[in-house]
């Protein structure tokens, strides 16, 4: 149960951070890299599995 809560918290944090970046707010470099890593793993891996 704790893992599920943490998953949703991290997911929402990433979403909020992405939206702030789109609005022009400065986002620290390490945070941008972490967002890209998680985004690549979650979205693109799922898309590859659906197409197979």
């Amino acid at each position: 149960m704790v893992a599920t809560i943490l998953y949703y918290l991290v997911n929402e944090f990433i979403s909020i951070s992405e939206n702030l970046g789109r609005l022009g707010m400065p986002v620290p470099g390490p945070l941008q890299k972490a967002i890209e890593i998680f985004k690549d793993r979650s979205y693109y891996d799922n898309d590859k599995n659906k197409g197979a």
Side-chain angles (χ1 to χ4, degrees):
M1 184 166 156
V2 173
T4 304
I5 293 169
L6 288 175
Y7 169 78
Y8 283 111
L9 285 173
V10 169
N11 192 32
E12 289 301 315
F13 177 73
I14 289 171
S15 178
I16 291 167
S17 299
E18 285 177 334
N19 291 334
L20 287 175
R22 289 179 187 160
L23 290 172
M25 299 292 290
V27 178
L31 182 57
Q32 287 178 343
K33 288 181 181 180
I35 290 170
E36 289 176 14
I37 290 169
F38 286 116
K39 186 174 166 182
D40 288 341
R41 288 183 185 171
S42 63
Y43 294 119
Y44 298 118
D45 287 344
N46 287 335
D47 288 341
K48 288 178 186 176
N49 290 335
K50 288 180 185 176

mmCIF file of all heavy atoms in Angstrom:
data_model
loop_
_atom_site.group_PDB
_atom_site.id
_atom_site.type_symbol
_atom_site.label_atom_id
_atom_site.label_comp_id
_atom_site.label_asym_id
_atom_site.label_seq_id
_atom_site.Cartn_x
_atom_site.Cartn_y
_atom_site.Cartn_z
ATOM 1 N N MET A 1 0.822 -1.185 0.000
ATOM 2 C CA MET A 1 0.000 0.000 0.000
ATOM 3 C C MET A 1 0.872 1.256 0.000
ATOM 4 O O MET A 1 0.550 2.214 -0.688
ATOM 5 C CB MET A 1 -0.928 -0.012 1.203
ATOM 6 C CG MET A 1 -1.869 1.142 1.208
ATOM 7 S SD MET A 1 -3.156 0.832 2.394
ATOM 8 C CE MET A 1 -3.642 2.455 2.746
ATOM 9 N N VAL A 2 1.938 1.232 0.739
ATOM 10 C CA VAL A 2 2.837 2.375 0.784
ATOM 11 C C VAL A 2 3.468 2.608 -0.578
ATOM 12 O O VAL A 2 3.605 3.747 -1.030
ATOM 13 C CB VAL A 2 3.920 2.178 1.870
ATOM 14 C CG1 VAL A 2 4.953 3.276 1.804
ATOM 15 C CG2 VAL A 2 3.283 2.143 3.242
ATOM 16 N N ALA A 3 3.834 1.521 -1.270
ATOM 17 C CA ALA A 3 4.439 1.643 -2.589
ATOM 18 C C ALA A 3 3.472 2.298 -3.571
ATOM 19 O O ALA A 3 3.880 3.121 -4.398
ATOM 20 C CB ALA A 3 4.872 0.273 -3.096
ATOM 21 N N THR A 4 2.201 1.967 -3.475
ATOM 22 C CA THR A 4 1.203 2.558 -4.363
ATOM 23 C C THR A 4 1.066 4.050 -4.112
ATOM 24 O O THR A 4 1.011 4.847 -5.052
ATOM 25 C CB THR A 4 -0.164 1.869 -4.159
ATOM 26 O OG1 THR A 4 -0.001 0.475 -4.368
ATOM 27 C CG2 THR A 4 -1.213 2.430 -5.089
ATOM 28 N N ILE A 5 1.048 4.426 -2.864
ATOM 29 C CA ILE A 5 0.952 5.842 -2.506
ATOM 30 C C ILE A 5 2.173 6.593 -3.013
ATOM 31 O O ILE A 5 2.048 7.673 -3.602
ATOM 32 C CB ILE A 5 0.784 6.014 -0.981
ATOM 33 C CG1 ILE A 5 -0.572 5.463 -0.556
ATOM 34 C CG2 ILE A 5 0.924 7.484 -0.578
ATOM 35 C CD1 ILE A 5 -0.746 5.345 0.939
ATOM 36 N N LEU A 6 3.357 6.029 -2.823
ATOM 37 C CA LEU A 6 4.572 6.675 -3.306
ATOM 38 C C LEU A 6 4.577 6.785 -4.828
ATOM 39 O O LEU A 6 5.008 7.799 -5.380
ATOM 40 C CB LEU A 6 5.808 5.908 -2.830
ATOM 41 C CG LEU A 6 6.121 6.029 -1.349
ATOM 42 C CD1 LEU A 6 7.300 5.130 -0.981
ATOM 43 C CD2 LEU A 6 6.422 7.472 -0.987
ATOM 44 N N TYR A 7 4.094 5.755 -5.500
ATOM 45 C CA TYR A 7 4.021 5.791 -6.962
ATOM 46 C C TYR A 7 3.185 6.984 -7.415
ATOM 47 O O TYR A 7 3.587 7.749 -8.292
ATOM 48 C CB TYR A 7 3.429 4.488 -7.502
ATOM 49 C CG TYR A 7 3.080 4.571 -8.958
ATOM 50 C CD1 TYR A 7 4.060 4.468 -9.933
ATOM 51 C CD2 TYR A 7 1.764 4.793 -9.364
ATOM 52 C CE1 TYR A 7 3.746 4.565 -11.279
ATOM 53 C CE2 TYR A 7 1.444 4.883 -10.700
ATOM 54 C CZ TYR A 7 2.430 4.769 -11.655
ATOM 55 O OH TYR A 7 2.113 4.874 -12.973
ATOM 56 N N TYR A 8 2.005 7.150 -6.832
ATOM 57 C CA TYR A 8 1.136 8.243 -7.241
ATOM 58 C C TYR A 8 1.714 9.600 -6.863
ATOM 59 O O TYR A 8 1.573 10.577 -7.612
ATOM 60 C CB TYR A 8 -0.268 8.071 -6.660
ATOM 61 C CG TYR A 8 -1.062 7.031 -7.403
ATOM 62 C CD1 TYR A 8 -1.389 5.827 -6.815
ATOM 63 C CD2 TYR A 8 -1.474 7.247 -8.712
ATOM 64 C CE1 TYR A 8 -2.112 4.865 -7.500
ATOM 65 C CE2 TYR A 8 -2.195 6.289 -9.410
ATOM 66 C CZ TYR A 8 -2.504 5.106 -8.799
ATOM 67 O OH TYR A 8 -3.213 4.167 -9.488
ATOM 68 N N LEU A 9 2.356 9.700 -5.727
ATOM 69 C CA LEU A 9 2.989 10.959 -5.337
ATOM 70 C C LEU A 9 4.090 11.351 -6.312
ATOM 71 O O LEU A 9 4.169 12.497 -6.755
ATOM 72 C CB LEU A 9 3.559 10.858 -3.921
ATOM 73 C CG LEU A 9 2.544 10.912 -2.787
ATOM 74 C CD1 LEU A 9 3.235 10.635 -1.457
ATOM 75 C CD2 LEU A 9 1.864 12.256 -2.752
ATOM 76 N N VAL A 10 4.946 10.405 -6.653
ATOM 77 C CA VAL A 10 6.040 10.679 -7.594
ATOM 78 C C VAL A 10 5.479 11.014 -8.968
ATOM 79 O O VAL A 10 5.947 11.946 -9.626
ATOM 80 C CB VAL A 10 7.015 9.483 -7.660
ATOM 81 C CG1 VAL A 10 7.995 9.640 -8.802
ATOM 82 C CG2 VAL A 10 7.752 9.328 -6.337
ATOM 83 N N ASN A 11 4.469 10.277 -9.384
ATOM 84 C CA ASN A 11 3.859 10.524 -10.690
ATOM 85 C C ASN A 11 3.287 11.948 -10.765
ATOM 86 O O ASN A 11 3.480 12.654 -11.758
ATOM 87 C CB ASN A 11 2.768 9.489 -10.951
ATOM 88 C CG ASN A 11 2.296 9.497 -12.369
ATOM 89 O OD1 ASN A 11 3.066 9.790 -13.282
ATOM 90 N ND2 ASN A 11 1.043 9.186 -12.570
ATOM 91 N N GLU A 12 2.593 12.370 -9.736
ATOM 92 C CA GLU A 12 2.026 13.721 -9.713
ATOM 93 C C GLU A 12 3.125 14.783 -9.635
ATOM 94 O O GLU A 12 3.031 15.834 -10.270
ATOM 95 C CB GLU A 12 1.049 13.883 -8.549
ATOM 96 C CG GLU A 12 -0.239 13.120 -8.747
ATOM 97 C CD GLU A 12 -0.986 13.528 -10.001
ATOM 98 O OE1 GLU A 12 -1.110 14.744 -10.267
ATOM 99 O OE2 GLU A 12 -1.452 12.629 -10.720
ATOM 100 N N PHE A 13 4.171 14.518 -8.877
ATOM 101 C CA PHE A 13 5.288 15.458 -8.782
ATOM 102 C C PHE A 13 5.930 15.648 -10.148
ATOM 103 O O PHE A 13 6.249 16.773 -10.544
ATOM 104 C CB PHE A 13 6.318 14.959 -7.767
ATOM 105 C CG PHE A 13 7.526 15.828 -7.671
ATOM 106 C CD1 PHE A 13 7.450 17.062 -7.054
ATOM 107 C CD2 PHE A 13 8.734 15.433 -8.214
ATOM 108 C CE1 PHE A 13 8.565 17.885 -6.971
ATOM 109 C CE2 PHE A 13 9.847 16.239 -8.142
ATOM 110 C CZ PHE A 13 9.761 17.470 -7.516
ATOM 111 N N ILE A 14 6.118 14.566 -10.883
ATOM 112 C CA ILE A 14 6.702 14.648 -12.221
ATOM 113 C C ILE A 14 5.785 15.456 -13.137
ATOM 114 O O ILE A 14 6.241 16.318 -13.891
ATOM 115 C CB ILE A 14 6.960 13.243 -12.793
ATOM 116 C CG1 ILE A 14 8.115 12.587 -12.037
ATOM 117 C CG2 ILE A 14 7.262 13.296 -14.280
ATOM 118 C CD1 ILE A 14 8.317 11.124 -12.361
ATOM 119 N N SER A 15 4.504 15.198 -13.068
ATOM 120 C CA SER A 15 3.544 15.921 -13.898
ATOM 121 C C SER A 15 3.563 17.420 -13.597
ATOM 122 O O SER A 15 3.594 18.249 -14.510
ATOM 123 C CB SER A 15 2.143 15.356 -13.674
ATOM 124 O OG SER A 15 1.207 16.060 -14.435
ATOM 125 N N ILE A 16 3.559 17.769 -12.335
ATOM 126 C CA ILE A 16 3.596 19.177 -11.936
ATOM 127 C C ILE A 16 4.894 19.827 -12.399
ATOM 128 O O ILE A 16 4.894 20.940 -12.928
ATOM 129 C CB ILE A 16 3.412 19.319 -10.414
ATOM 130 C CG1 ILE A 16 1.982 18.939 -10.027
ATOM 131 C CG2 ILE A 16 3.732 20.736 -9.947
ATOM 132 C CD1 ILE A 16 1.774 18.748 -8.546
ATOM 133 N N SER A 17 6.004 19.128 -12.250
ATOM 134 C CA SER A 17 7.302 19.664 -12.666
ATOM 135 C C SER A 17 7.348 19.881 -14.175
ATOM 136 O O SER A 17 7.869 20.897 -14.651
ATOM 137 C CB SER A 17 8.428 18.722 -12.246
ATOM 138 O OG SER A 17 8.448 18.571 -10.853
ATOM 139 N N GLU A 18 6.806 18.941 -14.938
ATOM 140 C CA GLU A 18 6.760 19.096 -16.394
ATOM 141 C C GLU A 18 5.922 20.314 -16.773
ATOM 142 O O GLU A 18 6.307 21.090 -17.649
ATOM 143 C CB GLU A 18 6.157 17.859 -17.050
ATOM 144 C CG GLU A 18 7.075 16.669 -17.085
ATOM 145 C CD GLU A 18 6.397 15.450 -17.693
ATOM 146 O OE1 GLU A 18 5.144 15.340 -17.634
ATOM 147 O OE2 GLU A 18 7.120 14.603 -18.228
ATOM 148 N N ASN A 19 4.790 20.472 -16.134
ATOM 149 C CA ASN A 19 3.918 21.604 -16.447
ATOM 150 C C ASN A 19 4.565 22.934 -16.078
ATOM 151 O O ASN A 19 4.418 23.918 -16.818
ATOM 152 C CB ASN A 19 2.570 21.449 -15.751
ATOM 153 C CG ASN A 19 1.763 20.316 -16.331
ATOM 154 O OD1 ASN A 19 1.930 19.952 -17.488
ATOM 155 N ND2 ASN A 19 0.901 19.738 -15.513
ATOM 156 N N LEU A 20 5.274 22.988 -14.974
ATOM 157 C CA LEU A 20 5.975 24.214 -14.609
ATOM 158 C C LEU A 20 7.053 24.544 -15.640
ATOM 159 O O LEU A 20 7.252 25.708 -15.991
ATOM 160 C CB LEU A 20 6.598 24.084 -13.217
ATOM 161 C CG LEU A 20 5.615 24.117 -12.050
ATOM 162 C CD1 LEU A 20 6.343 23.858 -10.735
ATOM 163 C CD2 LEU A 20 4.884 25.444 -11.996
ATOM 164 N N GLY A 21 7.734 23.521 -16.135
ATOM 165 C CA GLY A 21 8.743 23.735 -17.174
ATOM 166 C C GLY A 21 8.120 24.273 -18.451
ATOM 167 O O GLY A 21 8.685 25.147 -19.114
ATOM 168 N N ARG A 22 6.954 23.774 -18.814
ATOM 169 C CA ARG A 22 6.253 24.264 -20.004
ATOM 170 C C ARG A 22 5.806 25.707 -19.844
ATOM 171 O O ARG A 22 5.689 26.445 -20.819
ATOM 172 C CB ARG A 22 5.048 23.387 -20.301
ATOM 173 C CG ARG A 22 5.417 22.022 -20.807
ATOM 174 C CD ARG A 22 4.198 21.189 -21.071
ATOM 175 N NE ARG A 22 4.606 19.826 -21.395
ATOM 176 C CZ ARG A 22 3.829 18.778 -21.304
ATOM 177 N NH1 ARG A 22 2.581 18.927 -20.892
ATOM 178 N NH2 ARG A 22 4.272 17.589 -21.620
ATOM 179 N N LEU A 23 5.524 26.103 -18.614
ATOM 180 C CA LEU A 23 5.118 27.486 -18.354
ATOM 181 C C LEU A 23 6.296 28.449 -18.312
ATOM 182 O O LEU A 23 6.110 29.650 -18.187
ATOM 183 C CB LEU A 23 4.371 27.563 -17.016
ATOM 184 C CG LEU A 23 2.987 26.928 -17.002
ATOM 185 C CD1 LEU A 23 2.442 26.904 -15.579
ATOM 186 C CD2 LEU A 23 2.043 27.691 -17.912
ATOM 187 N N GLY A 24 7.507 27.914 -18.407
ATOM 188 C CA GLY A 24 8.689 28.761 -18.429
ATOM 189 C C GLY A 24 9.377 28.902 -17.088
ATOM 190 O O GLY A 24 10.322 29.681 -16.968
ATOM 191 N N MET A 25 8.911 28.189 -16.089
ATOM 192 C CA MET A 25 9.565 28.237 -14.787
ATOM 193 C C MET A 25 10.878 27.476 -14.872
ATOM 194 O O MET A 25 10.955 26.443 -15.540
ATOM 195 C CB MET A 25 8.678 27.596 -13.717
ATOM 196 C CG MET A 25 7.340 28.263 -13.515
ATOM 197 S SD MET A 25 7.448 29.901 -12.808
ATOM 198 C CE MET A 25 7.977 29.491 -11.178
ATOM 199 N N PRO A 26 11.911 27.973 -14.212
ATOM 200 C CA PRO A 26 13.182 27.259 -14.255
ATOM 201 C C PRO A 26 13.111 25.930 -13.499
ATOM 202 O O PRO A 26 12.597 25.865 -12.384
ATOM 203 C CB PRO A 26 14.163 28.218 -13.574
ATOM 204 C CG PRO A 26 13.320 29.129 -12.755
ATOM 205 C CD PRO A 26 11.976 29.204 -13.447
ATOM 206 N N VAL A 27 13.585 24.872 -14.157
ATOM 207 C CA VAL A 27 13.607 23.544 -13.554
ATOM 208 C C VAL A 27 15.069 23.123 -13.473
ATOM 209 O O VAL A 27 15.773 23.156 -14.483
ATOM 210 C CB VAL A 27 12.794 22.533 -14.395
ATOM 211 C CG1 VAL A 27 12.852 21.150 -13.787
ATOM 212 C CG2 VAL A 27 11.354 22.999 -14.529
ATOM 213 N N PRO A 28 15.562 22.743 -12.298
ATOM 214 C CA PRO A 28 16.966 22.350 -12.157
ATOM 215 C C PRO A 28 17.325 21.184 -13.086
ATOM 216 O O PRO A 28 16.506 20.298 -13.344
ATOM 217 C CB PRO A 28 17.089 21.924 -10.692
ATOM 218 C CG PRO A 28 15.938 22.548 -10.002
ATOM 219 C CD PRO A 28 14.851 22.665 -11.026
ATOM 220 N N GLY A 29 18.557 21.197 -13.585
ATOM 221 C CA GLY A 29 19.039 20.173 -14.507
ATOM 222 C C GLY A 29 18.872 18.751 -14.008
ATOM 223 O O GLY A 29 18.371 17.899 -14.748
ATOM 224 N N PRO A 30 19.287 18.439 -12.770
ATOM 225 C CA PRO A 30 19.120 17.064 -12.287
ATOM 226 C C PRO A 30 17.656 16.621 -12.251
ATOM 227 O O PRO A 30 17.348 15.471 -12.539
ATOM 228 C CB PRO A 30 19.704 17.105 -10.870
ATOM 229 C CG PRO A 30 20.642 18.257 -10.879
ATOM 230 C CD PRO A 30 20.047 19.257 -11.828
ATOM 231 N N LEU A 31 16.766 17.550 -11.953
ATOM 232 C CA LEU A 31 15.344 17.216 -11.937
ATOM 233 C C LEU A 31 14.843 16.945 -13.353
ATOM 234 O O LEU A 31 14.066 16.021 -13.577
ATOM 235 C CB LEU A 31 14.539 18.346 -11.293
ATOM 236 C CG LEU A 31 13.041 18.118 -11.150
ATOM 237 C CD1 LEU A 31 12.748 16.852 -10.354
ATOM 238 C CD2 LEU A 31 12.387 19.308 -10.496
ATOM 239 N N GLN A 32 15.321 17.723 -14.329
ATOM 240 C CA GLN A 32 14.950 17.486 -15.722
ATOM 241 C C GLN A 32 15.409 16.112 -16.186
ATOM 242 O O GLN A 32 14.673 15.391 -16.863
ATOM 243 C CB GLN A 32 15.548 18.550 -16.632
ATOM 244 C CG GLN A 32 14.884 19.889 -16.521
ATOM 245 C CD GLN A 32 15.550 20.919 -17.403
ATOM 246 O OE1 GLN A 32 16.674 20.745 -17.869
ATOM 247 N NE2 GLN A 32 14.853 22.018 -17.635
ATOM 248 N N LYS A 33 16.622 15.732 -15.813
ATOM 249 C CA LYS A 33 17.142 14.417 -16.199
ATOM 250 C C LYS A 33 16.324 13.296 -15.557
ATOM 251 O O LYS A 33 16.013 12.308 -16.203
ATOM 252 C CB LYS A 33 18.612 14.282 -15.800
ATOM 253 C CG LYS A 33 19.529 15.109 -16.653
ATOM 254 C CD LYS A 33 20.975 14.918 -16.247
ATOM 255 C CE LYS A 33 21.877 15.780 -17.091
ATOM 256 N NZ LYS A 33 23.285 15.617 -16.722
ATOM 257 N N ALA A 34 15.969 13.464 -14.291
ATOM 258 C CA ALA A 34 15.164 12.447 -13.609
ATOM 259 C C ALA A 34 13.792 12.311 -14.261
ATOM 260 O O ALA A 34 13.300 11.199 -14.453
ATOM 261 C CB ALA A 34 15.012 12.802 -12.128
ATOM 262 N N ILE A 35 13.200 13.423 -14.641
ATOM 263 C CA ILE A 35 11.896 13.385 -15.304
ATOM 264 C C ILE A 35 12.013 12.651 -16.633
ATOM 265 O O ILE A 35 11.172 11.812 -16.965
ATOM 266 C CB ILE A 35 11.346 14.816 -15.516
ATOM 267 C CG1 ILE A 35 10.956 15.426 -14.171
ATOM 268 C CG2 ILE A 35 10.171 14.821 -16.470
ATOM 269 C CD1 ILE A 35 10.632 16.895 -14.232
ATOM 270 N N GLU A 36 13.054 12.940 -17.385
ATOM 271 C CA GLU A 36 13.243 12.273 -18.676
ATOM 272 C C GLU A 36 13.425 10.772 -18.498
ATOM 273 O O GLU A 36 12.873 9.982 -19.268
ATOM 274 C CB GLU A 36 14.440 12.865 -19.404
ATOM 275 C CG GLU A 36 14.194 14.268 -19.919
ATOM 276 C CD GLU A 36 15.433 14.869 -20.549
ATOM 277 O OE1 GLU A 36 16.397 14.122 -20.825
ATOM 278 O OE2 GLU A 36 15.432 16.084 -20.771
ATOM 279 N N ILE A 37 14.178 10.378 -17.494
ATOM 280 C CA ILE A 37 14.413 8.945 -17.259
ATOM 281 C C ILE A 37 13.109 8.237 -16.915
ATOM 282 O O ILE A 37 12.775 7.214 -17.502
ATOM 283 C CB ILE A 37 15.450 8.741 -16.140
ATOM 284 C CG1 ILE A 37 16.833 9.177 -16.631
ATOM 285 C CG2 ILE A 37 15.472 7.296 -15.671
ATOM 286 C CD1 ILE A 37 17.870 9.264 -15.533
ATOM 287 N N PHE A 38 12.357 8.796 -15.974
ATOM 288 C CA PHE A 38 11.098 8.158 -15.577
ATOM 289 C C PHE A 38 10.088 8.189 -16.712
ATOM 290 O O PHE A 38 9.351 7.234 -16.921
ATOM 291 C CB PHE A 38 10.509 8.830 -14.338
ATOM 292 C CG PHE A 38 11.243 8.476 -13.084
ATOM 293 C CD1 PHE A 38 11.913 9.443 -12.361
ATOM 294 C CD2 PHE A 38 11.259 7.173 -12.625
ATOM 295 C CE1 PHE A 38 12.584 9.116 -11.205
ATOM 296 C CE2 PHE A 38 11.930 6.837 -11.473
ATOM 297 C CZ PHE A 38 12.602 7.816 -10.751
ATOM 298 N N LYS A 39 10.057 9.287 -17.444
ATOM 299 C CA LYS A 39 9.118 9.412 -18.553
ATOM 300 C C LYS A 39 9.440 8.391 -19.637
ATOM 301 O O LYS A 39 8.543 7.730 -20.157
ATOM 302 C CB LYS A 39 9.199 10.831 -19.112
ATOM 303 C CG LYS A 39 8.192 11.147 -20.166
ATOM 304 C CD LYS A 39 8.305 12.615 -20.516
ATOM 305 C CE LYS A 39 7.565 12.939 -21.785
ATOM 306 N NZ LYS A 39 7.715 14.333 -22.152
ATOM 307 N N ASP A 40 10.711 8.251 -19.969
ATOM 308 C CA ASP A 40 11.113 7.274 -20.983
ATOM 309 C C ASP A 40 10.742 5.864 -20.562
ATOM 310 O O ASP A 40 10.232 5.090 -21.359
ATOM 311 C CB ASP A 40 12.618 7.351 -21.253
ATOM 312 C CG ASP A 40 13.001 8.600 -22.031
ATOM 313 O OD1 ASP A 40 12.104 9.207 -22.654
ATOM 314 O OD2 ASP A 40 14.191 8.954 -22.021
ATOM 315 N N ARG A 41 10.982 5.524 -19.337
ATOM 316 C CA ARG A 41 10.693 4.167 -18.862
ATOM 317 C C ARG A 41 9.207 3.877 -18.826
ATOM 318 O O ARG A 41 8.768 2.810 -19.218
ATOM 319 C CB ARG A 41 11.278 3.951 -17.470
ATOM 320 C CG ARG A 41 12.765 3.830 -17.480
ATOM 321 C CD ARG A 41 13.275 3.540 -16.107
ATOM 322 N NE ARG A 41 14.734 3.536 -16.092
ATOM 323 C CZ ARG A 41 15.462 3.481 -15.013
ATOM 324 N NH1 ARG A 41 14.885 3.428 -13.834
ATOM 325 N NH2 ARG A 41 16.770 3.478 -15.082
ATOM 326 N N SER A 42 8.414 4.821 -18.365
ATOM 327 C CA SER A 42 6.995 4.534 -18.185
ATOM 328 C C SER A 42 6.211 4.624 -19.486
ATOM 329 O O SER A 42 5.465 3.723 -19.823
ATOM 330 C CB SER A 42 6.390 5.466 -17.145
ATOM 331 O OG SER A 42 6.463 6.808 -17.580
ATOM 332 N N TYR A 43 6.392 5.685 -20.257
ATOM 333 C CA TYR A 43 5.574 5.878 -21.449
ATOM 334 C C TYR A 43 6.049 5.041 -22.630
ATOM 335 O O TYR A 43 5.268 4.349 -23.260
ATOM 336 C CB TYR A 43 5.558 7.353 -21.871
ATOM 337 C CG TYR A 43 4.886 8.248 -20.872
ATOM 338 C CD1 TYR A 43 5.578 9.275 -20.261
ATOM 339 C CD2 TYR A 43 3.547 8.062 -20.531
ATOM 340 C CE1 TYR A 43 4.959 10.103 -19.342
ATOM 341 C CE2 TYR A 43 2.923 8.886 -19.612
ATOM 342 C CZ TYR A 43 3.642 9.902 -19.028
ATOM 343 O OH TYR A 43 3.038 10.705 -18.120
ATOM 344 N N TYR A 44 7.331 5.111 -22.923
ATOM 345 C CA TYR A 44 7.819 4.479 -24.139
ATOM 346 C C TYR A 44 7.893 2.967 -24.022
ATOM 347 O O TYR A 44 7.642 2.268 -24.992
ATOM 348 C CB TYR A 44 9.162 5.078 -24.543
ATOM 349 C CG TYR A 44 9.051 6.548 -24.842
ATOM 350 C CD1 TYR A 44 9.744 7.493 -24.100
ATOM 351 C CD2 TYR A 44 8.212 7.000 -25.859
ATOM 352 C CE1 TYR A 44 9.620 8.839 -24.369
ATOM 353 C CE2 TYR A 44 8.078 8.341 -26.120
ATOM 354 C CZ TYR A 44 8.796 9.258 -25.380
ATOM 355 O OH TYR A 44 8.668 10.598 -25.637
ATOM 356 N N ASP A 45 8.204 2.443 -22.863
ATOM 357 C CA ASP A 45 8.218 0.989 -22.699
ATOM 358 C C ASP A 45 6.815 0.418 -22.847
ATOM 359 O O ASP A 45 6.622 -0.628 -23.447
ATOM 360 C CB ASP A 45 8.816 0.576 -21.346
ATOM 361 C CG ASP A 45 10.321 0.781 -21.309
ATOM 362 O OD1 ASP A 45 10.930 0.951 -22.389
ATOM 363 O OD2 ASP A 45 10.887 0.772 -20.203
ATOM 364 N N ASN A 46 5.823 1.114 -22.337
ATOM 365 C CA ASN A 46 4.440 0.655 -22.471
ATOM 366 C C ASN A 46 3.998 0.700 -23.926
ATOM 367 O O ASN A 46 3.299 -0.180 -24.399
ATOM 368 C CB ASN A 46 3.496 1.488 -21.596
ATOM 369 C CG ASN A 46 3.644 1.155 -20.138
ATOM 370 O OD1 ASN A 46 4.072 0.059 -19.781
ATOM 371 N ND2 ASN A 46 3.304 2.096 -19.285
ATOM 372 N N ASP A 47 4.404 1.749 -24.653
ATOM 373 C CA ASP A 47 4.037 1.843 -26.065
ATOM 374 C C ASP A 47 4.682 0.733 -26.879
ATOM 375 O O ASP A 47 4.063 0.180 -27.780
ATOM 376 C CB ASP A 47 4.450 3.199 -26.637
ATOM 377 C CG ASP A 47 3.571 4.337 -26.121
ATOM 378 O OD1 ASP A 47 2.462 4.046 -25.630
ATOM 379 O OD2 ASP A 47 3.993 5.496 -26.218
ATOM 380 N N LYS A 48 5.917 0.396 -26.588
ATOM 381 C CA LYS A 48 6.595 -0.683 -27.310
ATOM 382 C C LYS A 48 5.914 -2.022 -27.060
ATOM 383 O O LYS A 48 5.758 -2.835 -27.955
ATOM 384 C CB LYS A 48 8.063 -0.770 -26.891
ATOM 385 C CG LYS A 48 8.905 0.375 -27.406
ATOM 386 C CD LYS A 48 10.328 0.252 -26.926
ATOM 387 C CE LYS A 48 11.150 1.462 -27.308
ATOM 388 N NZ LYS A 48 12.503 1.404 -26.772
ATOM 389 N N ASN A 49 5.483 -2.249 -25.827
ATOM 390 C CA ASN A 49 4.825 -3.514 -25.493
ATOM 391 C C ASN A 49 3.451 -3.611 -26.161
ATOM 392 O O ASN A 49 3.011 -4.695 -26.520
ATOM 393 C CB ASN A 49 4.678 -3.657 -23.981
ATOM 394 C CG ASN A 49 6.016 -3.868 -23.299
ATOM 395 O OD1 ASN A 49 6.962 -4.362 -23.916
ATOM 396 N ND2 ASN A 49 6.107 -3.483 -22.050
ATOM 397 N N LYS A 50 2.765 -2.504 -26.314
ATOM 398 C CA LYS A 50 1.444 -2.523 -26.964
ATOM 399 C C LYS A 50 1.568 -2.845 -28.442
ATOM 400 O O LYS A 50 0.714 -3.500 -29.000
ATOM 401 C CB LYS A 50 0.742 -1.175 -26.773
ATOM 402 C CG LYS A 50 0.270 -0.934 -25.379
ATOM 403 C CD LYS A 50 -0.408 0.413 -25.265
ATOM 404 C CE LYS A 50 -0.767 0.718 -23.832
ATOM 405 N NZ LYS A 50 -1.341 2.050 -23.675
ATOM 406 N N GLY A 51 2.632 -2.361 -29.078
ATOM 407 C CA GLY A 51 2.799 -2.567 -30.508
ATOM 408 C C GLY A 51 3.264 -3.964 -30.858
ATOM 409 O O GLY A 51 3.141 -4.410 -31.988
ATOM 410 N N ALA A 52 3.780 -4.708 -29.903
ATOM 411 C CA ALA A 52 4.329 -6.034 -30.184
ATOM 412 C C ALA A 52 3.278 -7.105 -30.264
ATOM 413 O O ALA A 52 2.182 -7.018 -29.880
ATOM 414 C CB ALA A 52 5.340 -6.403 -29.104
#
